[in-house]
Amino acid sequence: MPIGNKHILFYFSHEGGPRYLLGDYDKRHDRFVVSSGGKFNFRAHQPAAVHAPSATSDGEGGVIVTFNMTPGFRRPPWPIPFGSQLMALPRRLTLSEEGELLQEPIKAAESLRWDHQKVEPMVLPANKEIVVDKIKGVSMEIIAEIDSKDAPMVEMNVFRSPDKEEFTRIAFFRGRGRNRRGLITIESSFSSLYPNVLSRAPETGPVPMDENEPLKLRVFLDRSSIEVFVNGKQCVATRVYPKREDSIGVSLRSQGKDSKLTQLDAWQMKSIYDDVQLTQ
């Protein structure tokens, strides 16, 4: 389908997950001429990952795409089963001037915000974890901007219990990966104390970052899902299953050298069913 001045083709591999191809559509010969491509997740589609993309044009040169998210357990670990799959947040895809794929959550997601909390700018001292006491929750949107300066890695921990027995780590590595542009990762090894939750290798994707470009994270938490948008250029997502009721905290950490937190805003997120009358 059209996207900007190109066309995009979505497809799915059970071994490699959802992917896309970008190129030009040759109407005369009825063929798609591929110029580039990429991935929407970075491991197999199971366990606990996005898969099966569905897409439509937004009528403004972009494309709206959404995915199923597979479960990450052998049997439902929670007292109230949340089903085997759920739908990820719809994303709006566009192209940059350089022809790279851009990804943002749809604008309508902002209508679910309530209880805004703001944290003032602060220095993140090297190798010291800073717990953000006023930011807590299991269904939240978090926007953070960090000037990582010369720090090789900065991280945000979410679904964090007070003693850090459970937590999920979101980390950005500057100057790593292909062309040394940057990597974003979700590490879920310590996300759950349930014995039947399946482990997933860190979900790690490339981020085409300029050398002095500040890190901009937009993180969506929805009980068992995490979706992390980075500078509008990349998104990584997975599912996690915290067992403890107090696994609701958020913390920040700068590795090796100081960084500066320049913005941190957070909102609780309403259910999309709050204003819907359900009938049998």
Side-chain angles (χ1 to χ4, degrees):
M1 66 177 59
I3 181 170
N5 61 354
K6 296 286 185 179
H7 279 69
I8 187 169
L9 174 67
F10 299 92
Y11 67 103
F12 174 69
S13 162
H14 281 84
E15 292 186 0
R19 303 185 180 194
Y20 67 90
L21 298 172
L22 285 172
D24 298 294
Y25 179 56
D26 182 349
K27 294 183 179 179
R28 181 179 178 182
H29 298 96
D30 192 25
R31 66 178 182 176
F32 182 42
V33 182
V34 175
S35 57
S36 63
K39 303 177 180 180
F40 290 109
N41 72 22
F42 303 94
R43 304 287 177 188
H45 78 289
Q46 289 187 354
V50 298
H51 76 118
S54 299
T56 185
S57 172
D58 70 353
E60 300 178 350
V63 172
I64 304 298
V65 64
T66 190
F67 305 86
N68 291 2
M69 294 188 77
T70 56
F73 48 77
R74 291 187 178 88
R75 293 188 181 91
W78 290 353
I80 302 176
F82 276 67
S84 61
Q85 299 189 22
L86 53 75
M87 300 301 294
L89 188 70
R91 309 176 190 178
R92 182 174 187 259
L93 310 182
T94 56
L95 295 182
S96 69
E97 293 182 358
E98 295 76 26
E100 294 181 318
L101 192 72
L102 304 178
Q103 304 187 55
E104 292 277 13
I106 59 170
K107 183 72 174 176
E110 297 177 13
S111 67
L112 301 176
R113 292 172 173 174
W114 69 282
D115 190 22
H116 176 226
Q117 298 290 330
K118 185 177 183 64
V119 175
E120 295 302 316
M122 70 172 81
V123 172
L124 301 177
N127 306 318
K128 182 179 179 180
E129 185 178 14
I130 305 296
V131 176
V132 188
D133 291 326
K134 64 193 302 184
I135 309 298
K136 297 178 180 179
V138 295
S139 295
M140 301 177 64
E141 177 187 353
I142 303 171
I143 294 179
E145 182 171 323
I146 300 172
D147 181 357
S148 60
K149 302 181 182 295
D150 295 325
M153 186 272 287
V154 291
E155 67 180 65
M156 175 188 293
N157 296 300
V158 297
F159 292 130
R160 183 189 188 279
S161 62
D163 59 4
K164 212 176 180 183
E165 191 175 19
E166 285 185 327
F167 68 96
T168 300
R169 178 172 174 261
I170 301 164
F172 173 72
F173 301 86
R174 185 174 289 279
R176 309 284 185 87
R178 186 177 181 182
N179 299 324
R180 304 180 67 83
R181 299 179 75 180
L183 295 172
I184 185 71
T185 189
I186 301 178
E187 166 60 58
S188 57
S189 298
F190 299 94
S191 296
S192 180
L193 297 175
Y194 284 112
N196 51 347
V197 169
L198 299 172
S199 297
R200 181 175 177 84
E203 183 71 3
T204 302
V207 185
M209 295 276 285
D210 296 332
E211 183 177 356
N212 296 316
E213 185 177 354
L215 173 65
K216 299 177 181 179
L217 297 176
R218 193 168 176 188
V219 180
F220 290 86
L221 310 179
D222 191 8
R223 297 182 183 273
S224 73
S225 69
I226 300 179
E227 299 176 67
V228 182
F229 294 84
V230 188
N231 289 58
K233 301 176 179 180
Q234 183 60 275
C235 181
V236 289
T238 193
R239 296 188 68 181
V240 296
Y241 302 91
K243 182 178 182 180
R244 293 176 49 150
E245 292 185 0
D246 60 357
S247 293
I248 58 175
V250 174
S251 69
L252 300 165
R253 182 175 177 272
S254 180
Q255 176 70 34
K257 297 184 179 180
D258 293 356
S259 296
K260 184 177 181 180
L261 176 71
T262 57
Q263 177 188 357
L264 180 57
D265 290 271
W267 296 263
Q268 301 299 316
M269 301 291 283
K270 296 185 296 184
S271 168
I272 62 172
Y273 299 110
D274 281 352
D275 300 321
V276 177
Q277 182 69 38
L278 299 179
T279 59
Q280 293 184 343

